[in-house]
Amino acid sequence: CSIKNAALVDISSLPESTESYSFPESLVTFELEATETAHLDVYYKYITNLDNFVYRKYGPTIPGDNDTDSWYNFSNATFELADINNLTGIVKVSLTLNDGQIGDDTGIDGIIIDDGGIATPEPTLEDTTTKPPEVTTTTGLPDNCSVRDDSNIISTICNVEQQVFPEKVEIISDISSISNAIFEDDVINAGMIANSIVGEEATLSGGFLSGNINNEGIIKDIKFVGNELSGGTLSGHVINESQVGGVITDVELAAGTVLKGGKIGGTIIGEPNVPPVITAAEILPGAILSNVHLSPTVTISDDVILKEGVTIATEPYQPEDFGLNAEDIANLTPELLSELEPEALATFTAEDVALIPPEALSELQAVQIATMKGLEGLTIEQFAEIP
């Protein structure tokens, strides 16, 4: 990967933070061309101790969404004192960055844009006075991961260090990134969860999952952008958008599940009465599949074992081959429709098109319009929504 447009950023040119931090140096900004995980070292001179440093960033907490711009502490940074060519007083900050994940200002585009720098929290009046002993909660979560008592919402970016996520937390806001968590109760995710465990009794719904996810419960309606998602049951719409070759492996698929995209390995077991659909995916060598339906856009590697209940779509293809029945089409949202494969839209009839809610057509892509069949079924209201 290559670095370009590196420069220093004057902190005074950025909005003030609601939290008090001291910056010994300017922020560093750069662009990094990378489609996989990138590791980068930044060196700071004339610093003789680590002094509780954090790596502080200003930018979107949801990559690509400038409406979420704010100050936050970036957790994928490590600090150490370095000795280079017999020069002391150097701090090395090692960053781990991924395209389209927290720490990158843009979405998944092959470019990582990072603005950040080392900082230390400034003492407050409370810090300089005598305080009673701290009371540790049973969860032991860091303070910045505390729950809003009135809403059961966490709206922060934090690393919970392999501790149990509080049972009363059910919702994570869309500006959150939670890493290294153990979920033992249900959670509705509108942000990013990374390198975490979903417990046997837990159901995790929605949002993005990154890093390595160990699932012992149920995960549904998510987008996976990490390295590996393994175990447990997947349900609803599960999309593998990993740009680092991430694999979904050794999972059970609930009835009616649609698993789309990326690489699939290990043992995949579907529900025999209502077989789930796998589409636009690569089945890796050695995988064992049972009770699933494979769409025309699935690539099957050598040495894949197809066991009982596996069906492969044959021409003429139908919407059902891509996991779409009449009810699914009638309940399409703009996001769901924009994510449909052009090959799926090429199976539509006029009757299918007539079922699409007009507002769902508002984000239809040009390549989808070019391949979509059954357009004679469009109503005036539907036509008016097409971009």
Side-chain angles (χ1 to χ4, degrees):
C1 56
S2 60
I3 299 176
K4 59 182 181 180
N5 297 332
L8 298 179
V9 177
D10 186 353
I11 297 166
S12 64
S13 66
L14 298 172
E16 291 188 9
S17 172
T18 56
E19 302 166 289
S20 296
Y21 281 83
S22 175
F23 294 83
E25 301 288 347
S26 298
L27 300 188
V28 178
T29 181
F30 57 83
E31 294 183 17
L32 185 66
E33 295 181 357
T35 56
E36 298 183 353
T37 300
H39 302 280
L40 185 73
D41 295 332
V42 182
Y43 294 87
Y44 295 85
K45 296 191 296 182
Y46 310 123
I47 299 174
T48 57
N49 60 75
L50 298 182
D51 205 23
N52 296 320
F53 279 124
V54 297
Y55 196 76
R56 190 87 170 143
K57 285 180 51 62
Y58 182 80
T61 55
I62 299 177
D65 184 355
N66 292 332
D67 290 337
T68 66
D69 282 355
S70 69
W71 285 99
Y72 64 92
N73 294 343
F74 182 58
S75 60
N76 287 341
T78 60
F79 303 82
E80 63 178 290
L81 293 173
D83 184 350
I84 302 175
N85 296 330
N86 296 320
L87 295 175
T88 59
I90 296 175
V91 169
K92 181 175 78 170
V93 182
S94 299
L95 305 175
T96 301
L97 299 162
N98 290 280
D99 184 30
Q101 297 185 26
I102 191 72
D104 178 17
D105 288 357
T106 60
I108 299 174
D109 56 6
I111 298 175
I112 295 172
I113 297 179
D114 179 272
D115 304 332
I118 56 175
T120 55
E122 293 183 345
T124 63
L125 178 61
E126 182 183 17
D127 295 327
T128 60
T129 58
T130 302
K131 295 184 293 182
E134 294 185 0
V135 178
T136 303
T137 64
T138 56
T139 62
L141 294 178
D143 289 342
N144 66 333
C145 293
S146 60
V147 180
R148 297 179 188 170
D149 293 334
D150 61 341
S151 61
N152 286 351
I153 293 176
I154 282 186
S155 57
T156 186
I157 297 167
C158 62
N159 179 345
V160 298
E161 301 172 353
Q162 295 299 328
Q163 297 180 68
V164 176
F165 215 77
E167 290 187 0
K168 64 179 181 180
V169 176
E170 298 180 353
I171 299 174
I172 293 176
S173 82
D174 60 4
I175 60 171
S176 297
S177 174
I178 308 299
S179 60
N180 298 304
I182 300 173
F183 296 102
E184 291 189 345
D185 199 359
D186 296 348
V187 56
I188 299 173
N189 172 35
M192 175 84 75
I193 293 174
N195 298 320
S196 296
I197 297 172
V198 179
E200 186 176 353
E201 301 299 323
T203 296
L204 188 157
S205 306
F208 289 84
L209 303 184
S210 184
N212 294 310
I213 303 295
N214 181 0
N215 179 29
E216 300 169 2
I218 298 173
I219 292 176
K220 66 179 183 179
D221 296 326
I222 59 94
K223 292 183 180 180
F224 176 63
V225 295
N227 179 59
E228 182 177 280
L229 191 168
S230 62
T233 299
L234 302 184
S235 179
H237 283 80
V238 176
I239 302 177
N240 185 350
E241 292 185 343
S242 174
Q243 300 296 303
V244 295
V247 180
I248 294 177
T249 182
D250 295 322
V251 296
E252 295 185 9
L253 302 178
T257 299
V258 177
L259 175 54
K260 176 187 174 184
K263 297 180 179 180
I264 297 173
T267 300
I268 309 296
I269 302 173
E271 166 58 49
N273 295 323
V274 187
V277 173
I278 299 175
T279 185
E282 176 188 357
I283 312 299
L284 297 178
I288 303 173
L289 308 184
S290 59
N291 299 318
V292 295
H293 181 73
L294 305 180
S295 87
T297 54
V298 168
T299 301
I300 304 175
S301 303
D302 294 334
D303 301 324
V304 170
I305 299 176
L306 303 180
K307 300 184 74 175
E308 69 279 356
V310 175
T311 56
I312 300 176
T314 58
E315 296 188 78
Y317 302 127
Q318 306 294 324
E320 288 80 5
D321 290 321
F322 298 87
L324 293 166
N325 57 32
E327 183 179 358
D328 296 323
I329 296 172
N331 289 312
L332 284 171
T333 64
E335 180 181 10
L336 288 174
L337 182 54
S338 68
E339 292 172 347
L340 287 183
E341 302 162 74
E343 293 87 349
L345 294 172
T347 68
F348 277 28
T349 65
E351 289 76 15
D352 295 324
V353 170
L355 293 173
I356 301 174
E359 64 275 11
L361 295 161
S362 61
E363 296 182 17
L364 200 63
Q365 307 297 309
V367 65
Q368 294 177 307
I369 297 173
T371 56
M372 189 174 182
K373 302 299 182 183
L375 293 178
E376 65 274 16
L378 284 172
T379 65
I380 295 176
E381 292 79 8
Q382 289 174 315
F383 185 80
E385 293 288 340
I386 297 177

